[in-house]
C-alpha cells in the first residue's frame, strides 16, 4: 500500500552532514513502496529512543539550543540523531537539528489502536519486539510485503527490509527462521514458502542468513 508522506515530516539522518533532499524523498518512497504504515510513535517507542544515555544527552543539547543544533559531522553523532529522528522527537531543518516536543503530547493523546502500529514511527520500524506473539505478528505482517509466486533476489529483499528497519539483516534472518521466507541453497533467491517454484529449492532446513 502506497502512503504519502505528510508535510513537515523530518528527513532521515545517516551520513555526515545529513542527507540531501533527494535522499529524503527516496527514503519516503522506499517506505511507501514497502507498504509500511505511517504511524505515530507510541510512548514506549519514545522512551526507548531516549533510553540510551548518549541519545538522551544529544536530545538535551538539541532542546537547549534555541536556534537548533548544527547537524553532526561525525558518523557516531549522526547515528544517534537518526534514531531520534526516526522516533519523531527530532527533525532536520536545513543544517540544524530541532526538537519536536509536541511528539510527546500527541503520542499520549492518540494511542495506537493496533499494537503493531505502535512499533512504527513515520513509516519506519523503531524496534524489534522480543520473541513472542507481538514479534510473530510483526513478522507475519512484514512477510506480506513479498508477493506470493514471485522469486526475489537477495538485493531486492535487502532493499525492501532496509526501507522498514536499519538492521535489515536481522529482519531477514527472523523471517527465514520463522518459516515466513524461504531461501535457496545458494542464498541468492527468496520467496514465500507456500509457493513451490523451480529455482527456489531448499534442503528443508532453516536457512541461516
Amino acid at each position: 500500500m502506497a502512503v504519502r508522506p505528510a508535510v513537515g515530516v523530518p528527513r532521515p539522518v545517516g551520513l555526515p552532514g545529513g542527507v540531501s533532499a533527494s535522499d529524503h524523498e527516496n527514503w519516503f518512497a522506499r517506505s511507501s513502496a514497502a507498504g509500511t504504515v505511517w504511524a505515530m510513535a507510541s510512548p514506549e517507542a519514545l522512551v526507548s529512543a531516549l533510553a540510551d544515555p548518549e541519545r538522551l544527552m544529544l536530545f538535551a543539547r538539541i532542546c537547549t539550543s534555541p536556534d537548533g543544533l548544527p547537524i553532526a559531522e561525525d558518523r557516531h553523532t549522526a547515528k544517534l540523531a537518526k534514531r531520534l529522528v526516526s522516533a519523531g522527537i527530532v527533525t532536520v531543518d536545513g543544517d540544524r537539528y530541532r526538537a519536536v516536543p509536541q511528539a510527546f503530547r500527541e503520542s499520549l493523546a492518540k494511542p495506537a489502536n493496533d499494537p503493531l502500529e505502535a512499533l512504527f514511527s513515520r513509516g519506519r520500524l523503531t524496534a524489534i519486539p522480543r520473541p513472542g506473539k507481538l514479534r510473530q505478528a510483526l513478522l507475519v505482517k512484514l512477510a506480506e510485503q513479498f508477493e506470493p509466486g514471485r522469486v526475489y533476489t537477495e538485493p531486492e529483499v535487502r532493499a525492501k527490509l532496509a526501507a522498514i528497519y536499519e538492521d535489515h539483516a536481522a529482519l531477514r534472518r527472523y523471517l527465514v527462521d520463522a518459516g515466513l521466507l524461504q531461501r535457496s541453497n545458494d542464498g541468492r533467491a527468496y520467496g514465500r514458502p507456500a509457493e513451490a517454484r523451480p529455482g527456489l529449492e531448499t534442503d528443508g532446513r532453516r536457512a541461516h542468513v
Side-chain angles (χ1 to χ4, degrees), residues 89-108:
I89 56 178
V90 167
T91 186
V92 177
D93 182 12
D95 61 351
R96 306 237 165 204
Y97 298 128
R98 296 187 186 277
V100 186
Q102 62 268 29
F104 296 93
R105 181 177 63 251
E106 293 173 355
S107 179
L108 291 172

Side-chain angles (χ1 to χ4, degrees), residues 1-207:
M1 139 177 147
V3 184
R4 216 171 155 187
V7 176
V9 171
R11 65 182 184 179
V13 179
L15 298 175
V19 292
S20 66
S22 61
D23 288 335
H24 183 217
E25 293 172 359
N26 291 337
W27 183 76
F28 279 121
R30 289 197 303 271
S31 297
S32 297
T36 51
V37 179
W38 292 67
M40 184 181 304
S42 67
E44 291 81 3
L46 300 184
V47 171
S48 176
L50 296 174
D52 178 79
E54 288 187 285
R55 287 198 299 266
L56 181 60
M57 290 180 65
L58 176 60
F59 185 63
R61 289 172 55 201
I62 295 171
C63 288
T64 55
S65 300
D67 298 324
L69 187 70
I71 285 180
E73 294 295 336
D74 65 283
R75 289 184 179 273
H76 179 65
T77 304
K79 183 177 181 180
L80 297 175
K82 180 178 180 180
R83 178 65 186 277
L84 299 176
V85 171
S86 177
I89 56 178
V90 167
T91 186
V92 177
D93 182 12
D95 61 351
R96 306 237 165 204
Y97 298 128
R98 296 187 186 277
V100 186
Q102 62 268 29
F104 296 93
R105 181 177 63 251
E106 293 173 355
S107 179
L108 291 172
K110 299 179 181 179
N113 295 322
D114 185 346
L116 288 179
E117 289 186 12
L119 298 175
F120 290 86
S121 175
R122 311 197 186 279
R124 299 278 292 180
L125 180 65
T126 59
I128 299 177
R130 294 184 178 185
K133 293 182 179 180
L134 185 57
R135 178 187 284 190
Q136 183 64 20
L138 171 66
L139 295 177
V140 170
K141 185 69 175 178
L142 295 180
E144 295 175 358
Q145 310 303 316
F146 298 91
E147 300 175 17
R150 176 178 172 182
V151 175
Y152 292 84
T153 64
E154 191 278 334
E156 288 176 326
V157 173
R158 182 174 64 245
K160 270 186 168 291
L161 297 180
I164 299 170
Y165 190 60
E166 183 177 20
D167 192 353
H168 54 83
L171 286 183
R172 183 180 61 190
R173 180 171 64 252
Y174 293 145
L175 285 167
V176 171
D177 287 347
L180 296 170
L181 270 188
Q182 189 175 34
R183 189 183 75 167
S184 63
N185 289 331
D186 60 9
R188 299 174 62 182
Y190 291 79
R192 298 284 290 273
E195 303 299 320
R197 299 178 295 277
L200 191 59
E201 299 174 354
T202 68
D203 57 10
R205 294 175 296 180
R206 286 184 175 180

